[in-house]
Amino acid sequence: MMKLALDLSRELYFAVGAFQENRPHSAPVVETPEQVWLYEAIGGHWDKLAALGEAQIAHSLTQSLEMFISLDPERVFLRVGDILRTAKKWGYQYEQLGFDLVLRIFSTYLAEHPEIFQTNPECLRIMRETLEIFVNAGWAAARNLSYRLDDLFR
């Protein structure tokens, strides 16, 4: 069953168009209305896959959701937070690719969507808890990013 879920998460990554060969090391962007439709159609299925927590599934789901940040910032952040907290059991916080992705996503949120942390205490709590997971795993850049949280309220 886990292999099936892993295959599903990888296929989902390609189906929503998150694989964008012309954008290496950059966040994917929504390019068609069909991608928006698919994001909405998948709905709660993101959450069901996220509940498994396996590291490779978590990575594929997080990569896929990253492209929808500008479309639905608050809900995407809550979903990514759930994915990352669940994936902790599988050691995702020790993966370099995972950390690089999380750092890029969280930096995007702090730069482009700081209002979600000011208006939704749950988002701020998730940001703090998730950063703590990565700080405890030894990522110095996670510690540096956590210092920037105070700037949200200045």
Side-chain angles (χ1 to χ4, degrees):
M1 290 301 279
M2 194 62 81
K3 169 122 175 53
L4 180 63
L6 177 58
D7 290 345
L8 180 60
S9 69
R10 287 180 180 157
E11 289 300 319
L12 184 61
Y13 167 72
F14 289 103
V16 298
F19 175 73
Q20 296 179 353
E21 197 169 28
N22 59 340
R23 299 180 55 81
H25 310 294
S26 297
V29 294
V30 174
E31 297 173 326
T32 68
E34 291 80 14
Q35 290 170 304
V36 176
W37 177 86
L38 189 54
Y39 168 75
E40 293 296 334
I42 293 168
H45 299 291
W46 296 100
D47 305 325
K48 290 175 185 171
L49 278 171
L52 297 174
E54 195 274 334
Q56 293 177 38
I57 293 171
H59 191 68
S60 294
L61 293 177
T62 304
Q63 284 179 304
S64 300
L65 284 168
E66 181 184 23
M67 74 183 293
F68 299 108
I69 290 173
S70 62
L71 176 71
D72 191 6
E74 191 169 321
R75 191 163 41 167
V76 167
F77 186 81
L78 293 171
R79 284 186 168 139
V80 167
D82 287 342
I83 290 167
L84 298 175
R85 287 183 312 204
T86 305
K88 177 185 176 189
K89 293 179 267 188
W90 291 77
Y92 184 67
Q93 67 274 20
Y94 299 108
E95 300 291 334
Q96 178 72 53
L97 286 174
F99 176 68
D100 291 344
L101 177 61
V102 169
L103 183 63
R104 183 172 70 219
I105 290 172
F106 282 16
S107 295
T108 297
Y109 270 99
L110 289 175
E112 298 175 16
H113 303 286
E115 71 282 353
I116 71 164
F117 305 109
Q118 297 162 340
T119 59
N120 186 336
E122 179 69 6
C123 288
L124 183 60
R125 184 184 65 74
I126 288 171
M127 172 69 95
R128 286 183 172 148
E129 286 178 6
T130 306
L131 279 175
E132 184 177 342
I133 292 168
F134 286 93
V135 167
N136 291 339
W139 298 104
R143 184 179 317 280
N144 294 339
L145 190 61
S146 69
Y147 295 146
R148 291 179 42 202
L149 293 181
D150 289 341
D151 294 342
L152 293 172
F153 300 98
R154 289 187 187 161

